Amino acid sequence: MAADWQDRRFKWFARSGDRAPTAVRVAALGCALSVALWTGPSALGAPQLVQLAEGELIAPEAATGSQAQQLVRAESFMVAAANPYAVQAGYDILQQGGSAVDAAIAVQLVLNLVEPQSSGIGGGGFLLYFEAASGAVLSYDGRETAPNRATPALFLDDDGAPLAFFDAVVGGRSVGAPGLVALLETAYQQHGQLPWADLFAPAIELAETGFVVSPRLARLIELDQDRLRRYPATRAYFFGDNGEPLQAGDRLRNPELADTLRVIAQQGSAGFYRGAIALDIVNTVQTVPDNPGLLSLGDLASYQAKRREPVCIPYRVYHVCGMGPPSSGGLTVGQILGILDSFDLAALGAESPLAWHLIGEASRLAFADRGVYMADSDFAEVPVAGLLNQDYLRDRAQLINPLGPALRAVAPGQPPGAENFAPGET
């Protein structure tokens, strides 16, 4: 499939042909992708790519003149991701009879190649899955975990002061045990249908034959070139033979990634968390000359993805669910919606500055709570029920003046179950 790049800020959709939906399964992985599958009785047609640019969904056949905002609908299934190569991979897996999780795995592996700045097997993620047959929402935690040897001083300098952001991030110091491979395997064991190795085929082929560098990736390489030039491996990969950053339209191959994915396809997650790949990861992290890290073989071998309880909240006619702790996303969005439930946003309309004011104030209140109460529930108590308590959120909503002005100071509240916390103003 040709990569027809038209804008640096878009998502891509592939949707099936005309048939009535009978059931739906949805999987979401982090912020990178979502895959929806409707089961139906007939064969699928070719995918239709639809560009989302500047918040507007545009069908290719209607991409000229005035382009009204529209919903994207599909009769059978839909794949949405940040890159057309990834969309094609997910679509092909669904066309072969794969599940939503099968497609999500294929999409993620291709994103690892074509969107390396955003997601990949060197990091982690969350997965939220709606099981249509039972109506259950399931969530899986595959976030990175800190090395066992990490201490509170890990990101402090010799004088005990916090390191500057990039001084902490670039190099090996900030590397934790990556969770994505374990996450994908865990979800696959519960919801996969096609052979595991088949899900790796699109990414392996693209890594070997090459892909067209997108404008987004090219721009990010250009903006971050000083740090990317810092190490031989990144300098060799992200820059051409002339020493200049890769440009949009260049073809980039990654046969080493293809080899790594082939091992995982054949051996499962054990091929990543143990053996030669694990040893190479640890050696690389620990021997970075200017900023080594603490990751060990034991950290990798002991990593496990976990099933978590999702966070759900009623919002008007909807039941909104998200990832719970250690993610703050589900709780923060739930709080924002719970606070906004006290206001008639529909009457104001989507273009109303007053509606934007309400959303902004609700977000400030939620983020004030986020900074005090939300953490990794394996290590800290998180008052989940209290943070989403409807009476508590109505009380928080009373702090907002719907006609303005904005709140001068926003302090965290004290939700039920958090009596032992002593939050300060933020």
Side-chain angles (χ1 to χ4, degrees), residues 276-315:
I277 292 175
L279 183 61
D280 192 30
I281 293 171
V282 169
N283 285 342
T284 301
V285 170
Q286 292 187 1
T287 60
V288 176
D290 54 356
N291 198 14
L294 302 175
L295 187 70
S296 70
L297 288 172
D299 294 324
L300 292 177
S302 62
Y303 186 89
Q304 291 184 331
K306 299 179 180 181
R307 259 287 288 279
R308 301 282 192 182
E309 286 298 316
V311 167
C312 299
I313 186 171
Y315 179 68

mmCIF file of all heavy atoms in Angstrom, residues 276-315:
data_model
loop_
_atom_site.group_PDB
_atom_site.id
_atom_site.type_symbol
_atom_site.label_atom_id
_atom_site.label_comp_id
_atom_site.label_asym_id
_atom_site.label_seq_id
_atom_site.Cartn_x
_atom_site.Cartn_y
_atom_site.Cartn_z
ATOM 1 N N ALA A 276 19.191 -14.164 24.432
ATOM 2 C CA ALA A 276 20.116 -13.231 23.799
ATOM 3 C C ALA A 276 19.555 -11.816 23.708
ATOM 4 O O ALA A 276 20.291 -10.837 23.885
ATOM 5 C CB ALA A 276 20.477 -13.747 22.405
ATOM 6 N N ILE A 277 18.260 -11.690 23.416
ATOM 7 C CA ILE A 277 17.679 -10.346 23.301
ATOM 8 C C ILE A 277 17.717 -9.642 24.650
ATOM 9 O O ILE A 277 18.097 -8.462 24.743
ATOM 10 C CB ILE A 277 16.245 -10.421 22.757
ATOM 11 C CG1 ILE A 277 16.263 -10.890 21.297
ATOM 12 C CG2 ILE A 277 15.540 -9.070 22.872
ATOM 13 C CD1 ILE A 277 14.885 -11.102 20.703
ATOM 14 N N ALA A 278 17.333 -10.346 25.708
ATOM 15 C CA ALA A 278 17.364 -9.754 27.046
ATOM 16 C C ALA A 278 18.776 -9.337 27.430
ATOM 17 O O ALA A 278 18.991 -8.252 27.992
ATOM 18 C CB ALA A 278 16.790 -10.743 28.060
ATOM 19 N N LEU A 279 19.745 -10.186 27.139
ATOM 20 C CA LEU A 279 21.137 -9.868 27.470
ATOM 21 C C LEU A 279 21.607 -8.633 26.718
ATOM 22 O O LEU A 279 22.294 -7.766 27.287
ATOM 23 C CB LEU A 279 22.023 -11.066 27.131
ATOM 24 C CG LEU A 279 23.509 -10.931 27.491
ATOM 25 C CD1 LEU A 279 23.689 -10.741 28.993
ATOM 26 C CD2 LEU A 279 24.272 -12.163 27.012
ATOM 27 N N ASP A 280 21.211 -8.512 25.456
ATOM 28 C CA ASP A 280 21.598 -7.358 24.662
ATOM 29 C C ASP A 280 20.972 -6.074 25.207
ATOM 30 O O ASP A 280 21.616 -5.025 25.269
ATOM 31 C CB ASP A 280 21.177 -7.585 23.211
ATOM 32 C CG ASP A 280 21.788 -6.564 22.263
ATOM 33 O OD1 ASP A 280 22.892 -6.075 22.552
ATOM 34 O OD2 ASP A 280 21.152 -6.254 21.248
ATOM 35 N N ILE A 281 19.695 -6.163 25.615
ATOM 36 C CA ILE A 281 19.019 -4.998 26.194
ATOM 37 C C ILE A 281 19.745 -4.528 27.450
ATOM 38 O O ILE A 281 20.059 -3.345 27.619
ATOM 39 C CB ILE A 281 17.544 -5.321 26.512
ATOM 40 C CG1 ILE A 281 16.751 -5.552 25.221
ATOM 41 C CG2 ILE A 281 16.908 -4.193 27.332
ATOM 42 C CD1 ILE A 281 15.353 -6.080 25.458
ATOM 43 N N VAL A 282 20.004 -5.455 28.349
ATOM 44 C CA VAL A 282 20.628 -5.108 29.630
ATOM 45 C C VAL A 282 22.035 -4.554 29.415
ATOM 46 O O VAL A 282 22.434 -3.551 30.033
ATOM 47 C CB VAL A 282 20.638 -6.331 30.561
ATOM 48 C CG1 VAL A 282 21.529 -6.078 31.783
ATOM 49 C CG2 VAL A 282 19.219 -6.671 30.999
ATOM 50 N N ASN A 283 22.812 -5.186 28.552
ATOM 51 C CA ASN A 283 24.164 -4.701 28.295
ATOM 52 C C ASN A 283 24.140 -3.287 27.719
ATOM 53 O O ASN A 283 24.953 -2.427 28.094
ATOM 54 C CB ASN A 283 24.884 -5.636 27.324
ATOM 55 C CG ASN A 283 25.332 -6.926 27.985
ATOM 56 O OD1 ASN A 283 25.419 -7.004 29.203
ATOM 57 N ND2 ASN A 283 25.596 -7.942 27.181
ATOM 58 N N THR A 284 23.199 -3.039 26.823
ATOM 59 C CA THR A 284 23.108 -1.709 26.224
ATOM 60 C C THR A 284 22.747 -0.660 27.267
ATOM 61 O O THR A 284 23.355 0.418 27.322
ATOM 62 C CB THR A 284 22.053 -1.711 25.096
ATOM 63 O OG1 THR A 284 22.421 -2.663 24.096
ATOM 64 C CG2 THR A 284 21.930 -0.332 24.470
ATOM 65 N N VAL A 285 21.769 -0.970 28.121
ATOM 66 C CA VAL A 285 21.332 -0.011 29.136
ATOM 67 C C VAL A 285 22.431 0.262 30.159
ATOM 68 O O VAL A 285 22.676 1.417 30.530
ATOM 69 C CB VAL A 285 20.059 -0.535 29.847
ATOM 70 C CG1 VAL A 285 19.734 0.313 31.074
ATOM 71 C CG2 VAL A 285 18.882 -0.548 28.889
ATOM 72 N N GLN A 286 23.118 -0.777 30.583
ATOM 73 C CA GLN A 286 24.097 -0.612 31.653
ATOM 74 C C GLN A 286 25.425 -0.031 31.188
ATOM 75 O O GLN A 286 26.198 0.454 32.020
ATOM 76 C CB GLN A 286 24.339 -1.963 32.334
ATOM 77 C CG GLN A 286 23.145 -2.492 33.110
ATOM 78 C CD GLN A 286 23.488 -3.744 33.905
ATOM 79 O OE1 GLN A 286 24.627 -4.211 33.884
ATOM 80 N NE2 GLN A 286 22.500 -4.283 34.604
ATOM 81 N N THR A 287 25.679 -0.062 29.892
ATOM 82 C CA THR A 287 26.990 0.398 29.413
ATOM 83 C C THR A 287 26.907 1.703 28.625
ATOM 84 O O THR A 287 27.883 2.075 27.965
ATOM 85 C CB THR A 287 27.650 -0.682 28.534
ATOM 86 O OG1 THR A 287 26.812 -0.960 27.402
ATOM 87 C CG2 THR A 287 27.881 -1.950 29.326
ATOM 88 N N VAL A 288 25.778 2.403 28.689
ATOM 89 C CA VAL A 288 25.715 3.725 28.063
ATOM 90 C C VAL A 288 26.802 4.584 28.706
ATOM 91 O O VAL A 288 26.812 4.775 29.928
ATOM 92 C CB VAL A 288 24.332 4.368 28.272
ATOM 93 C CG1 VAL A 288 24.310 5.777 27.701
ATOM 94 C CG2 VAL A 288 23.250 3.520 27.633
ATOM 95 N N PRO A 289 27.731 5.120 27.932
ATOM 96 C CA PRO A 289 28.909 5.751 28.541
ATOM 97 C C PRO A 289 28.600 6.996 29.369
ATOM 98 O O PRO A 289 29.285 7.255 30.366
ATOM 99 C CB PRO A 289 29.789 6.100 27.329
ATOM 100 C CG PRO A 289 28.855 6.127 26.161
ATOM 101 C CD PRO A 289 27.800 5.108 26.456
ATOM 102 N N ASP A 290 27.560 7.768 28.989
ATOM 103 C CA ASP A 290 27.346 9.032 29.684
ATOM 104 C C ASP A 290 26.140 9.024 30.625
ATOM 105 O O ASP A 290 25.950 9.970 31.382
ATOM 106 C CB ASP A 290 27.196 10.175 28.678
ATOM 107 C CG ASP A 290 26.113 9.886 27.647
ATOM 108 O OD1 ASP A 290 25.548 8.779 27.666
ATOM 109 O OD2 ASP A 290 25.840 10.777 26.811
ATOM 110 N N ASN A 291 25.315 7.971 30.589
ATOM 111 C CA ASN A 291 24.126 7.967 31.445
ATOM 112 C C ASN A 291 23.602 6.543 31.603
ATOM 113 O O ASN A 291 22.487 6.227 31.167
ATOM 114 C CB ASN A 291 23.042 8.875 30.844
ATOM 115 C CG ASN A 291 21.990 9.271 31.866
ATOM 116 O OD1 ASN A 291 22.167 9.099 33.065
ATOM 117 N ND2 ASN A 291 20.878 9.804 31.387
ATOM 118 N N PRO A 292 24.370 5.646 32.228
ATOM 119 C CA PRO A 292 23.961 4.240 32.318
ATOM 120 C C PRO A 292 22.760 4.042 33.224
ATOM 121 O O PRO A 292 22.447 4.877 34.072
ATOM 122 C CB PRO A 292 25.211 3.564 32.891
ATOM 123 C CG PRO A 292 25.890 4.644 33.664
ATOM 124 C CD PRO A 292 25.648 5.910 32.890
ATOM 125 N N GLY A 293 22.081 2.913 33.018
ATOM 126 C CA GLY A 293 20.904 2.584 33.809
ATOM 127 C C GLY A 293 21.104 1.354 34.668
ATOM 128 O O GLY A 293 22.182 0.748 34.688
ATOM 129 N N LEU A 294 20.036 0.953 35.358
ATOM 130 C CA LEU A 294 20.108 -0.110 36.364
ATOM 131 C C LEU A 294 19.387 -1.385 35.956
ATOM 132 O O LEU A 294 19.366 -2.346 36.724
ATOM 133 C CB LEU A 294 19.504 0.394 37.684
ATOM 134 C CG LEU A 294 20.135 1.647 38.288
ATOM 135 C CD1 LEU A 294 19.344 2.078 39.528
ATOM 136 C CD2 LEU A 294 21.587 1.396 38.640
ATOM 137 N N LEU A 295 18.775 -1.405 34.777
ATOM 138 C CA LEU A 295 17.983 -2.565 34.368
ATOM 139 C C LEU A 295 18.829 -3.833 34.383
ATOM 140 O O LEU A 295 19.972 -3.831 33.920
ATOM 141 C CB LEU A 295 17.423 -2.331 32.962
ATOM 142 C CG LEU A 295 16.429 -3.373 32.447
ATOM 143 C CD1 LEU A 295 15.118 -3.270 33.202
ATOM 144 C CD2 LEU A 295 16.206 -3.186 30.944
ATOM 145 N N SER A 296 18.255 -4.930 34.925
ATOM 146 C CA SER A 296 18.981 -6.188 35.047
ATOM 147 C C SER A 296 18.229 -7.314 34.349
ATOM 148 O O SER A 296 17.044 -7.187 34.014
ATOM 149 C CB SER A 296 19.167 -6.552 36.519
ATOM 150 O OG SER A 296 17.923 -6.929 37.106
ATOM 151 N N LEU A 297 18.919 -8.425 34.152
ATOM 152 C CA LEU A 297 18.268 -9.608 33.589
ATOM 153 C C LEU A 297 17.143 -10.086 34.497
ATOM 154 O O LEU A 297 16.108 -10.572 34.018
ATOM 155 C CB LEU A 297 19.298 -10.719 33.393
ATOM 156 C CG LEU A 297 20.304 -10.508 32.262
ATOM 157 C CD1 LEU A 297 21.375 -11.590 32.305
ATOM 158 C CD2 LEU A 297 19.597 -10.512 30.918
ATOM 159 N N GLY A 298 17.320 -9.947 35.800
ATOM 160 C CA GLY A 298 16.255 -10.334 36.728
ATOM 161 C C GLY A 298 15.011 -9.479 36.566
ATOM 162 O O GLY A 298 13.883 -9.977 36.685
ATOM 163 N N ASP A 299 15.196 -8.193 36.305
ATOM 164 C CA ASP A 299 14.050 -7.304 36.075
ATOM 165 C C ASP A 299 13.239 -7.773 34.879
ATOM 166 O O ASP A 299 12.000 -7.771 34.900
ATOM 167 C CB ASP A 299 14.530 -5.871 35.835
ATOM 168 C CG ASP A 299 15.188 -5.243 37.049
ATOM 169 O OD1 ASP A 299 14.736 -5.523 38.177
ATOM 170 O OD2 ASP A 299 16.147 -4.477 36.861
ATOM 171 N N LEU A 300 13.932 -8.158 33.820
ATOM 172 C CA LEU A 300 13.239 -8.619 32.624
ATOM 173 C C LEU A 300 12.564 -9.971 32.868
ATOM 174 O O LEU A 300 11.396 -10.166 32.512
ATOM 175 C CB LEU A 300 14.211 -8.723 31.458
ATOM 176 C CG LEU A 300 14.789 -7.402 30.925
ATOM 177 C CD1 LEU A 300 15.795 -7.674 29.820
ATOM 178 C CD2 LEU A 300 13.682 -6.497 30.420
ATOM 179 N N ALA A 301 13.291 -10.907 33.450
ATOM 180 C CA ALA A 301 12.755 -12.258 33.628
ATOM 181 C C ALA A 301 11.545 -12.290 34.553
ATOM 182 O O ALA A 301 10.671 -13.158 34.419
ATOM 183 C CB ALA A 301 13.851 -13.176 34.171
ATOM 184 N N SER A 302 11.463 -11.354 35.489
ATOM 185 C CA SER A 302 10.368 -11.369 36.460
ATOM 186 C C SER A 302 9.168 -10.537 36.028
ATOM 187 O O SER A 302 8.157 -10.509 36.733
ATOM 188 C CB SER A 302 10.864 -10.869 37.823
ATOM 189 O OG SER A 302 11.310 -9.519 37.733
ATOM 190 N N TYR A 303 9.253 -9.861 34.882
ATOM 191 C CA TYR A 303 8.153 -8.982 34.481
ATOM 192 C C TYR A 303 6.897 -9.781 34.157
ATOM 193 O O TYR A 303 6.938 -10.822 33.500
ATOM 194 C CB TYR A 303 8.520 -8.134 33.258
ATOM 195 C CG TYR A 303 7.415 -7.144 32.962
ATOM 196 C CD1 TYR A 303 7.408 -5.896 33.543
ATOM 197 C CD2 TYR A 303 6.324 -7.504 32.172
ATOM 198 C CE1 TYR A 303 6.368 -5.007 33.334
ATOM 199 C CE2 TYR A 303 5.279 -6.624 31.951
ATOM 200 C CZ TYR A 303 5.302 -5.384 32.541
ATOM 201 O OH TYR A 303 4.257 -4.520 32.344
ATOM 202 N N GLN A 304 5.744 -9.275 34.606
ATOM 203 C CA GLN A 304 4.451 -9.886 34.308
ATOM 204 C C GLN A 304 3.419 -8.802 34.016
ATOM 205 O O GLN A 304 3.311 -7.828 34.763
ATOM 206 C CB GLN A 304 3.946 -10.751 35.472
ATOM 207 C CG GLN A 304 4.743 -12.019 35.712
ATOM 208 C CD GLN A 304 4.134 -12.867 36.817
ATOM 209 O OE1 GLN A 304 3.498 -12.351 37.735
ATOM 210 N NE2 GLN A 304 4.321 -14.173 36.726
ATOM 211 N N ALA A 305 2.668 -8.973 32.940
ATOM 212 C CA ALA A 305 1.510 -8.108 32.696
ATOM 213 C C ALA A 305 0.391 -8.529 33.646
ATOM 214 O O ALA A 305 0.322 -9.687 34.067
ATOM 215 C CB ALA A 305 1.060 -8.225 31.248
ATOM 216 N N LYS A 306 -0.507 -7.590 33.979
ATOM 217 C CA LYS A 306 -1.524 -7.854 34.991
ATOM 218 C C LYS A 306 -2.922 -7.495 34.501
ATOM 219 O O LYS A 306 -3.097 -6.516 33.769
ATOM 220 C CB LYS A 306 -1.227 -7.052 36.259
ATOM 221 C CG LYS A 306 0.102 -7.384 36.910
ATOM 222 C CD LYS A 306 0.342 -6.538 38.156
ATOM 223 C CE LYS A 306 1.677 -6.873 38.806
ATOM 224 N NZ LYS A 306 1.915 -6.064 40.026
ATOM 225 N N ARG A 307 -3.914 -8.287 34.918
ATOM 226 C CA ARG A 307 -5.303 -7.888 34.739
ATOM 227 C C ARG A 307 -5.646 -6.886 35.829
ATOM 228 O O ARG A 307 -5.332 -7.062 36.999
ATOM 229 C CB ARG A 307 -6.229 -9.098 34.932
ATOM 230 C CG ARG A 307 -6.765 -9.767 33.718
ATOM 231 C CD ARG A 307 -7.827 -9.098 32.917
ATOM 232 N NE ARG A 307 -9.126 -9.077 33.545
ATOM 233 C CZ ARG A 307 -9.971 -10.090 33.530
ATOM 234 N NH1 ARG A 307 -9.635 -11.244 32.969
ATOM 235 N NH2 ARG A 307 -11.151 -9.972 34.083
ATOM 236 N N ARG A 308 -6.275 -5.794 35.445
ATOM 237 C CA ARG A 308 -6.684 -4.758 36.387
ATOM 238 C C ARG A 308 -8.184 -4.520 36.282
ATOM 239 O O ARG A 308 -8.818 -4.881 35.283
ATOM 240 C CB ARG A 308 -5.951 -3.452 36.080
ATOM 241 C CG ARG A 308 -4.441 -3.524 36.145
ATOM 242 C CD ARG A 308 -3.936 -3.495 37.559
ATOM 243 N NE ARG A 308 -2.490 -3.275 37.599
ATOM 244 C CZ ARG A 308 -1.777 -3.236 38.714
ATOM 245 N NH1 ARG A 308 -2.380 -3.383 39.894
ATOM 246 N NH2 ARG A 308 -0.469 -3.039 38.686
ATOM 247 N N GLU A 309 -8.723 -3.880 37.303
ATOM 248 C CA GLU A 309 -10.116 -3.460 37.250
ATOM 249 C C GLU A 309 -10.217 -2.160 36.460
ATOM 250 O O GLU A 309 -9.496 -1.199 36.750
ATOM 251 C CB GLU A 309 -10.661 -3.247 38.659
ATOM 252 C CG GLU A 309 -10.940 -4.529 39.422
ATOM 253 C CD GLU A 309 -11.990 -5.382 38.744
ATOM 254 O OE1 GLU A 309 -13.019 -4.832 38.294
ATOM 255 O OE2 GLU A 309 -11.775 -6.605 38.647
ATOM 256 N N PRO A 310 -11.079 -2.109 35.460
ATOM 257 C CA PRO A 310 -11.253 -0.836 34.755
ATOM 258 C C PRO A 310 -11.974 0.177 35.634
ATOM 259 O O PRO A 310 -12.580 -0.183 36.645
ATOM 260 C CB PRO A 310 -12.103 -1.219 33.543
ATOM 261 C CG PRO A 310 -12.884 -2.406 34.012
ATOM 262 C CD PRO A 310 -11.964 -3.153 34.948
ATOM 263 N N VAL A 311 -11.906 1.418 35.256
ATOM 264 C CA VAL A 311 -12.607 2.494 35.946
ATOM 265 C C VAL A 311 -13.777 2.918 35.062
ATOM 266 O O VAL A 311 -13.582 3.270 33.898
ATOM 267 C CB VAL A 311 -11.668 3.688 36.205
ATOM 268 C CG1 VAL A 311 -12.456 4.913 36.628
ATOM 269 C CG2 VAL A 311 -10.646 3.322 37.268
ATOM 270 N N CYS A 312 -14.990 2.870 35.592
ATOM 271 C CA CYS A 312 -16.186 3.191 34.813
ATOM 272 C C CYS A 312 -17.034 4.217 35.565
ATOM 273 O O CYS A 312 -17.095 4.198 36.799
ATOM 274 C CB CYS A 312 -17.026 1.951 34.536
ATOM 275 S SG CYS A 312 -16.172 0.674 33.563
ATOM 276 N N ILE A 313 -17.691 5.080 34.802
ATOM 277 C CA ILE A 313 -18.549 6.097 35.399
ATOM 278 C C ILE A 313 -19.732 6.347 34.475
ATOM 279 O O ILE A 313 -19.574 6.361 33.253
ATOM 280 C CB ILE A 313 -17.777 7.418 35.642
ATOM 281 C CG1 ILE A 313 -18.639 8.428 36.400
ATOM 282 C CG2 ILE A 313 -17.249 8.002 34.341
ATOM 283 C CD1 ILE A 313 -17.873 9.656 36.870
ATOM 284 N N PRO A 314 -20.949 6.508 35.026
ATOM 285 C CA PRO A 314 -22.086 6.880 34.173
ATOM 286 C C PRO A 314 -21.982 8.349 33.794
ATOM 287 O O PRO A 314 -21.662 9.199 34.625
ATOM 288 C CB PRO A 314 -23.303 6.610 35.067
ATOM 289 C CG PRO A 314 -22.780 6.755 36.469
ATOM 290 C CD PRO A 314 -21.358 6.292 36.435
ATOM 291 N N TYR A 315 -22.222 8.643 32.530
ATOM 292 C CA TYR A 315 -22.228 10.033 32.067
ATOM 293 C C TYR A 315 -23.405 10.204 31.113
ATOM 294 O O TYR A 315 -23.378 9.720 29.987
ATOM 295 C CB TYR A 315 -20.928 10.393 31.376
ATOM 296 C CG TYR A 315 -20.907 11.822 30.849
ATOM 297 C CD1 TYR A 315 -20.886 12.892 31.742
ATOM 298 C CD2 TYR A 315 -20.944 12.092 29.484
ATOM 299 C CE1 TYR A 315 -20.883 14.200 31.280
ATOM 300 C CE2 TYR A 315 -20.931 13.396 29.019
ATOM 301 C CZ TYR A 315 -20.910 14.443 29.918
ATOM 302 O OH TYR A 315 -20.919 15.745 29.466
#
